[in-house]
Amino acid sequence: MAVSRRRRLTAVAVVAATVALTAGLATGCDSVDKALDCVHTADSIADNVTGLQQAVENAANDPTRADDSLNAIEKNLDKIGDRTDHTDVNKAVDDVKKAVGNVRTAIKNGDRTPDVSPVTDAAGELTKVCTK
């Protein structure tokens, strides 16, 4: 009877260890997935910033392109913000949002060639934070 009980306890211990290990790996993978999402989205934002720079350069031909680029950046920022609770990432997202808002305000106020370098700088910082 003692051998049977020992086997059961051993089996329970093995199952408990397997569950704990699996939970640990899943949590680790979740962190990696979040980091990869951040990097991919930051890369998309970098593409959007390039599009914004081109749109501002060609604003005389098509003023709506800058607005489209700003919208795309904000959409990607929302993706990052929804997927992380990392303080540095959230601060970097806020900095890009602020820079985008400033460009949007400048365009609304009639500036045909607003300075987009703060957006570029903030997006670069976001990329750095996502890869840390």
Side-chain angles (χ1 to χ4, degrees), residues 10-11 32 95 123:
T10 301
V32 170
D95 290 346

Side-chain angles (χ1 to χ4, degrees), residues 15-27:
V15 169
T18 302
V19 168
L21 179 61
T22 303
L25 290 175
T27 302

Side-chain angles (χ1 to χ4, degrees), residues 42-125:
D43 187 47
S44 294
I45 290 171
D47 291 343
N48 298 146
V49 170
T50 300
L52 175 62
Q53 290 169 327
Q54 293 169 349
V56 167
E57 289 170 8
N58 298 317
N61 298 332
D62 187 1
T64 61
R65 282 187 56 208
D67 195 47
D68 292 343
S69 294
L70 292 169
N71 290 339
I73 293 169
E74 289 174 331
K75 182 179 177 183
N76 281 317
L77 289 171
D78 289 341
K79 286 181 188 177
I80 293 176
D82 291 344
R83 293 180 180 160
T84 187
D85 57 358
H86 191 278
T87 305
D88 292 338
V89 172
N90 285 329
K91 182 185 179 326
V93 166
D94 290 344
D95 290 346
V96 178
K97 283 183 179 181
K98 181 179 178 185
V100 165
N102 290 340
V103 170
R104 193 179 295 279
T105 299
I107 291 171
K108 284 181 183 177
N109 290 338
D111 187 347
R112 304 287 267 170
T113 56
D115 180 15
V116 297
S117 61
V119 176
T120 304
D121 294 344
E125 185 61 30

